[in-house]
Amino acid sequence: MAELGFTVDNAKSARSLCRHCDEYIDKKALRIGKFVKNFYDEDDEGWGDLTYWHHAVCMFKAFDQDKPKDKKIKSPDDMYCFNQLNQEDKKTILKLINDANVKWDNLFRQFRCLCAKLSDEDTGAGKTAIVSDFLKKGNAGTGFKGDVYLLMKFLLPGVVKTVYNLNDKDLIKLFSQIFGTNLKAMEEDLEQGDVSETVRVCFDKSKTVTPLKKSVLTLQEADDLLTSLSQVTKESEQYKILTKIVARCTSNDLMMVVRLITHDLGINAKAKYILRGLHPDAYKAFQVSQNLKDVVERVQSNTLHSMAGMKKKEKTDKKTGHDHSKSEGAKQGISGSSDSVDVGVSKKKTPVKRPTEDEGQTTPSKKCKTAPSASPSMSNIFTDCKIFLPETTDKFKELKQYIIDFDGEVLDETSKGSATHIVSSKGKISTSGSKAKVVTPDWLWQSIKKKQLASTEEFKP
Ligand SMILES: [Zn+2]
């Protein structure tokens, strides 16, 4: 197999056939050849690769039908002979590449992969590095070209909140109608605790609707559909929109859409760690403005520090002395201004892996579910608190979400030893020599209510 997967030239004759549209390629027309292993060379005698020619435009159309793991052209370096093209043809190819990269970065599947990675990472700094790395690289390795605002909005469903007028039971009822699945069976499945997982499983088994095999949903499309879902309250209208959503989803897509509706991605990440992946100061800026769109735009145009309430810094890049112009920053998405993003942390991380195939893809394991009904604030009530909260605690999910939203950490049984606070609703417990303070659930509620830590003395079990 050739080292690079592709070559480009102007057709020498009109004899080559486009492998995508089956039309002959005109003489001198811009064409891209994809090297394919010569399958007639059964004994591997080195017959060389076959070249499958495509119209340049058709080559990129073909990529859309390929599997995520298949080789694609993501930069001019991925093909031979690019430098021998004339200027106009070079421009054509560069535009095709850029358009494709924008499209690929905007795929909902990429967002899903990012969530899976975030879910697997336990530390906040690690999560920040993953987001930063994702934005710095994008699918082509040269920077995320998709819609950064939408990506961040989706990553923070509990913070940038869209209200859907749908609880778990409503969702199950509507999906059981769409899937033609027995409502009782779905409700029983739901008792295992995760509505998104129930929906995914039942979608796969549905006899009336079939999940897409390949994920084609984009961030924009998902956002449009979810926005229209949030604008209706009648069951019949919700049914209509959910049916539309289902028709555009693989079962993994739909699971993630449900998680967006329920405001919990299962990535167990505090807003500050996600936002710091956008820019080290993005969290602070968001606390000041509470306006994610504004923060993203400022990061992209490198004007975060001119924001009221933020410290001023030099706008000029010290290394190069260049001033990032606004339009350039915007055009390049985050890549132009991400030099200052936490490089030290992200360098340690391995690059974001592309999904090998949609079906085999991992999805984030669900760790928490319900978002609090009160509007989330960016207050830091529980900063530095590592709270062991038993799952048997009344309103466990709600409390857990509050603790995370208010900057605390929720520990499970395995990391209980490092807790600063242990919640007990069952009276006094032995902490076997740990320094953790034992408190009742009311300590959490009181702290949340007062927006500051309540005295642990008052809430001893
Ligand atoms: Zn063609």
Side-chain angles (χ1 to χ4, degrees):
M1 181 68 78
E3 207 181 315
L4 301 179
F6 304 89
T7 188
V8 62
D9 71 359
N10 300 96
K12 291 170 188 68
S13 69
R15 290 197 307 267
S16 56
L17 192 69
C18 173
R19 296 280 177 161
H20 182 72
C21 69
D22 274 340
E23 303 272 338
Y24 283 101
I25 300 171
D26 290 342
K27 190 174 174 177
K28 292 192 182 161
L30 189 58
R31 62 176 186 174
I32 296 173
K34 179 181 182 178
F35 299 122
V36 179
K37 191 167 166 46
N38 188 340
F39 44 85
Y40 293 111
D41 185 11
E42 283 173 351
D43 301 323
D44 209 12
E45 291 170 11
W47 291 8
D49 295 325
L50 299 172
T51 308
Y52 280 6
W53 290 106
H54 297 72
H55 293 108
V57 175
C58 287
M59 186 74 252
F60 284 86
K61 284 184 189 161
F63 289 149
D64 284 341
Q65 291 165 12
D66 286 349
K67 290 182 180 141
K69 67 174 178 188
D70 291 341
K71 249 190 190 174
K72 295 181 177 64
I73 298 170
K74 295 174 176 176
S75 108
D77 298 339
D78 292 335
M79 53 189 135
Y80 292 104
C81 304
F82 175 77
N83 284 326
Q84 289 159 31
L85 296 176
N86 66 37
Q87 285 307 318
E88 199 178 319
D89 286 342
K90 275 185 189 166
K91 259 194 204 164
T92 305
I93 295 286
L94 288 175
K95 178 157 188 343
L96 284 169
I97 291 173
N98 189 58
D99 290 352
N101 283 331
V102 169
K103 191 158 66 183
W104 292 330
D105 277 341
N106 274 324
L107 283 176
F108 192 72
R109 176 169 46 74
Q110 301 281 47
F111 160 70
R112 251 177 35 215
C113 291
L114 176 61
C115 289
K117 272 197 82 111
L118 287 168
S119 167
D120 287 343
E121 170 62 47
D122 291 328
T123 70
K127 289 181 201 277
T128 298
I130 289 169
V131 173
S132 163
D133 199 54
F134 185 85
L135 290 170
K136 217 176 292 173
K137 293 205 167 80
N139 93 86
T142 51
F144 181 78
K145 306 276 198 305
D147 188 325
V148 179
Y149 166 68
L150 272 188
L151 181 77
M152 296 308 291
K153 179 182 160 183
F154 279 179
L155 282 174
L156 300 163
V159 175
V160 186
K161 213 164 198 172
T162 314
V163 178
Y164 294 102
N165 306 302
L166 282 162
N167 62 27
D168 288 6
K169 282 212 160 148
D170 301 330
L171 284 167
I172 289 298
K173 189 177 164 199
L174 286 162
F175 279 117
S176 85
Q177 290 165 14
I178 296 167
F179 299 159
T181 308
N182 181 287
L183 178 61
K184 257 240 145 70
M186 272 186 91
E187 280 172 347
E188 271 165 29
D189 197 283
L190 179 62
E191 278 166 25
Q192 295 175 29
D194 180 0
V195 63
S196 68
E197 181 63 17
T198 297
V199 169
R200 186 186 67 81
V201 169
C202 295
F203 188 20
D204 271 333
K205 287 186 197 156
S206 168
K207 292 202 170 70
T208 54
V209 283
T210 314
L212 293 186
K213 288 241 162 26
K214 188 176 142 63
S215 180
V216 293
L217 191 66
T218 63
L219 294 176
Q220 289 75 11
E221 198 183 354
D223 189 52
D224 288 347
L225 288 163
L226 285 169
T227 302
S228 50
L229 183 64
S230 72
Q231 287 160 351
V232 299
T233 47
K234 273 193 212 153
E235 200 179 298
S236 60
E237 293 167 327
Q238 291 171 333
Y239 174 87
K240 236 192 215 163
I241 295 166
L242 285 174
T243 305
K244 265 194 208 168
I245 292 176
V246 163
R248 299 290 298 153
C249 285
T250 66
S251 52
N252 280 330
D253 288 340
L254 189 60
M255 178 168 84
M256 211 43 148
V257 168
V258 170
R259 288 182 181 190
L260 285 167
I261 295 172
T262 56
H263 301 133
D264 178 15
L265 301 176
I267 59 175
N268 210 16
K270 290 179 205 164
K272 78 171 173 189
Y273 294 125
I274 298 293
L275 280 162
R276 281 178 189 164
L278 171 67
H279 186 283
D281 293 330
Y283 174 63
K284 205 174 138 206
F286 184 71
Q287 282 180 300
V288 174
S289 73
Q290 297 283 316
N291 182 339
L292 181 65
K293 194 155 205 170
D294 183 54
V295 171
V296 169
E297 278 167 9
R298 283 172 184 277
V299 168
Q300 289 182 320
S301 60
N302 213 14
T303 56
L304 199 59
H305 300 289
S306 64
M307 192 172 143
M310 295 289 289
K311 258 187 262 163
K312 289 220 171 189
K313 265 193 199 171
E314 280 176 61
K315 272 185 212 169
T316 321
D317 188 330
K318 275 181 190 152
K319 265 180 281 172
T320 60
H322 291 314
D323 197 273
H324 291 295
S325 77
K326 262 190 187 181
S327 63
E328 196 183 358
K331 225 189 294 169
Q332 296 184 341
I334 194 72
S335 59
S337 51
S338 61
D339 290 359
S340 52
V341 175
D342 214 356
V343 179
V345 182
S346 58
K347 266 192 177 159
K348 276 185 250 159
K349 303 294 297 180
T350 48
V352 177
K353 272 187 202 137
R354 303 289 153 247
T356 47
E357 221 171 326
D358 191 54
E359 281 65 43
Q361 187 175 324
T362 53
T363 43
S365 59
K366 200 68 189 228
K367 285 171 187 157
C368 52
K369 261 184 54 167
T370 322
S373 50
S375 84
S377 131
M378 299 304 292
S379 312
N380 302 326
I381 306 171
F382 298 115
T383 300
D384 297 331
C385 292
K386 295 180 172 188
I387 300 168
F388 172 69
L389 181 67
E391 287 190 30
T392 48
T393 310
D394 194 32
K395 300 202 173 157
F396 166 76
K397 287 169 190 160
E398 201 175 332
L399 277 173
K400 180 173 175 177
Q401 192 60 50
Y402 271 128
I403 295 170
I404 292 168
D405 280 348
F406 293 129
D407 204 37
E409 203 172 319
V410 178
L411 303 182
D412 58 17
E413 194 71 47
T414 55
S415 43
K416 192 176 170 182
S418 59
T420 57
H421 297 80
I422 293 175
V423 177
S424 166
S425 34
K426 290 178 184 153
K428 279 189 183 163
I429 49 161
S430 151
T431 54
S432 54
S434 113
K435 281 181 198 154
K437 302 226 163 69
V438 183
V439 290
T440 61
D442 282 338
W443 174 76
L444 290 170
W445 289 116
Q446 185 68 14
S447 303
I448 293 160
K449 211 167 125 191
K450 294 265 155 109
K451 297 247 157 79
Q452 62 181 39
L453 282 188
S455 150
T456 51
E457 288 301 311
E458 284 173 46
F459 295 96
K460 275 186 182 166

